[in-house]
Amino acid sequence: MWQVAERAGVSQATVSLVLNNVGGSRVNDVTRERVMNAVAELGYRTNAFAKSLRSGESGMIGFISDEVASSPFAGRLLKGAQLRAWESGSVILSVDTFNDSDLEAAAIDMMLSYRVKGVVYASMYHRAVDVPAGLQGIPTVVVNAHDRSDRVPSVFPDEEGGGYAATRHLIEAGHGRVAMINIQPPESDLPAGIGRLAGYRRALAEAGIADDPRLTRSGTGVVEDGFSATLNLLAEADPPTAIFCGNDRTAWGAYRALESAGLRVGEDCSIIGFDNHDMLAPFLDPGLTTVELPYEQMARQALDILLSDTPDSPSRTSVECSLILRGSVTSAKVRT
C-alpha cells in the first residue's frame, strides 16, 4: 500500500479509502483514477487474511447443503448464491454434507472459524428441515426448504402457484378433462406434492370443473410410475385430454405410455411437467411444456436476506415458479 501511495502521489490513508470504496469520502475522481492506475501498474492485491483480522469478517458466506452441489439441476442454487455473493464483494465457502451429521457439524465449525458473514442452509428438495444447533447466533437462511421451527428465514418455491399455473394453462387450451399424476403418495408430508396437487385443484375449482378423483393418480416421481399411471388413465371410459405430471420424469413416462398406445403427445393428449429438467424437458419430442423451479432466484433471495443490515424477523418467502412453453400442449380436440 505504501508503494501504491508513493506511485500515485497520495497518502496511504487515501489509498485505503479508494480500495475499500468508502462512501462519502473526499477523494475526487481524478485522485481515485490515479490510485487505481498505480494499483494496476504494481499488480497490487489486498491481503484478505489481514483484512479479516482487522475487521473480524472474512468476506465469506457459508453454503451448507445435503447434495445440492452434486445434483444435476439443484446445483443452480449454488450458482445463484455464488453470483449474488460475487456482486456483493463476498465469496461462497461451500460444503456438501451428503446427509452425514458428523460432516455437517465439522463444516459448521470450519465456517465459524473462518468468520463467515452468515450461512445458507440448502436442501436438494423442498422439505421441512431442522436447522443445526451449531448455527445459533450466526445469521442463517434456509433455502429450497423451510425451517420446521420458524426460527430463521426460509426461501422456497411456490409449489401451489406452480401447480395452479400448469393446470390453468391446460384449461385455457380448452381441456376440460385434466388429469394429474402426483410425485408422492397421499400420506406423504413433503411440500412439493402437497402444493402442486393443491394448485391443480384450485385451478379446476376456479374454472368450475369438478375435481374427479378418477383423474388423479399417485406415484413416486419416476419414469415407470408416469408410464403405468398414464396407461391406467387412458383405460378410463372417458380418458383425459391432458395430464399434469408432478415432475418431468413422470412426464417422460407419460410420453412413453402414449407412444405405446399409438397416440401422439399434443395431438391426442397434452402433457405438462414440473422442474424444467434441462437434460430432459427440451429434448423430448415434442419439447415438454413444464414449470421451472426457481433455484437461482431462491439463492439470490437468501443472499439478499443475509446481506441486509437489518434482516427481517423469521419468515417464510415463496418464490414464483415460471411456466416454460414448448410443444407438448395444444388446443383440445372436440370429441365426437
Side-chain angles (χ1 to χ4, degrees):
M1 189 177 290
W2 178 85
Q3 289 175 313
V4 171
E6 185 179 45
R7 175 70 65 92
V10 299
S11 68
Q12 289 188 48
T14 298
V15 174
S16 179
L17 289 172
V18 172
L19 294 181
N20 289 290
N21 198 27
V22 175
S25 70
R26 290 173 293 181
V27 180
N28 60 44
D29 291 340
V30 173
T31 301
R32 185 179 299 275
E33 183 178 1
R34 198 161 68 242
V35 169
M36 294 310 297
N37 286 339
V39 165
E41 291 167 5
L42 294 170
Y44 175 80
R45 291 181 178 84
T46 58
N47 187 323
F49 179 69
K51 187 176 179 180
S52 70
L53 291 177
R54 291 194 305 272
S55 67
E57 288 188 354
S58 64
M60 295 181 181
I61 295 171
F63 188 99
I64 300 175
S65 58
D66 43 17
E67 298 180 47
V68 166
S70 57
S71 173
F73 53 95
R76 295 179 200 156
L77 281 173
L78 183 53
K79 176 185 176 183
Q82 287 176 328
L83 292 175
R84 182 64 186 92
W86 188 256
E87 291 169 5
S88 71
S90 304
V91 294
I92 292 292
L93 180 60
S94 174
V95 176
D96 242 355
T97 66
F98 305 102
N99 292 303
D100 183 323
S101 58
D102 290 337
L103 179 55
E104 181 176 85
I108 292 171
D109 285 344
M110 179 266 291
M111 289 180 179
L112 293 179
S113 73
Y114 273 95
R115 300 176 179 178
V116 295
K117 293 181 179 180
V119 171
V120 175
Y121 190 74
S123 174
M124 184 180 71
Y125 62 93
H126 189 181
R127 59 191 174 100
V129 297
D130 297 307
V131 177
L135 290 176
Q136 289 184 9
I138 183 169
T140 302
V141 179
V142 171
V143 66
N144 201 34
H146 60 267
D147 174 26
R148 199 187 310 272
S149 68
D150 277 338
R151 289 188 298 107
V152 302
S154 302
V155 182
F156 48 83
D158 182 0
E159 308 282 8
E160 181 174 339
Y164 172 85
T167 309
R168 184 69 192 173
H169 181 63
L170 293 171
I171 293 170
E172 289 175 347
H175 296 280
R177 296 281 292 171
V178 179
M180 180 182 180
I181 305 173
N182 209 348
I183 55 173
Q184 60 198 48
E187 64 272 14
S188 172
D189 63 353
L190 291 177
I194 293 172
R196 294 170 197 183
L197 178 61
Y200 163 78
R201 287 174 169 163
R202 177 159 65 93
L204 292 179
E206 187 180 278
I209 299 173
D211 179 14
D212 187 346
R214 294 173 300 173
L215 295 181
T216 305
R217 298 290 185 276
S218 297
T220 59
V222 298
V223 175
E224 291 76 11
D225 287 349
F227 180 82
S228 59
T230 300
L231 289 180
N232 190 266
L233 286 166
L234 293 175
E236 291 285 342
D238 189 7
T241 62
I243 304 174
F244 167 36
C245 297
N247 69 3
D248 290 352
R249 289 188 298 257
T250 299
W252 186 11
Y255 271 59
R256 290 174 52 191
L258 289 170
E259 182 182 5
S260 71
L263 301 174
R264 281 281 299 166
V265 174
E267 293 180 13
D268 300 299
C269 183
S270 288
I271 303 291
I272 194 166
F274 207 112
D275 283 343
N276 193 30
H277 196 307
D278 55 11
M279 297 299 290
L280 176 61
F283 302 108
L284 294 175
D285 183 22
L288 176 64
T289 293
T290 185
V291 178
E292 183 171 59
L293 284 167
Y295 290 113
E296 291 189 34
Q297 296 94 320
M298 288 190 292
R300 295 182 71 90
Q301 179 76 35
L303 264 291
D304 285 340
I305 294 172
L306 278 183
L307 294 168
S308 62
D309 294 330
T310 54
D312 296 331
S313 58
S315 61
R316 296 187 176 191
T317 302
S318 62
V319 180
E320 181 183 0
C321 301
S322 303
L323 189 63
I324 307 299
L325 302 179
R326 298 190 180 96
S328 65
V329 175
T330 60
S331 298
K333 294 180 179 178
V334 178
R335 288 179 174 171
T336 58

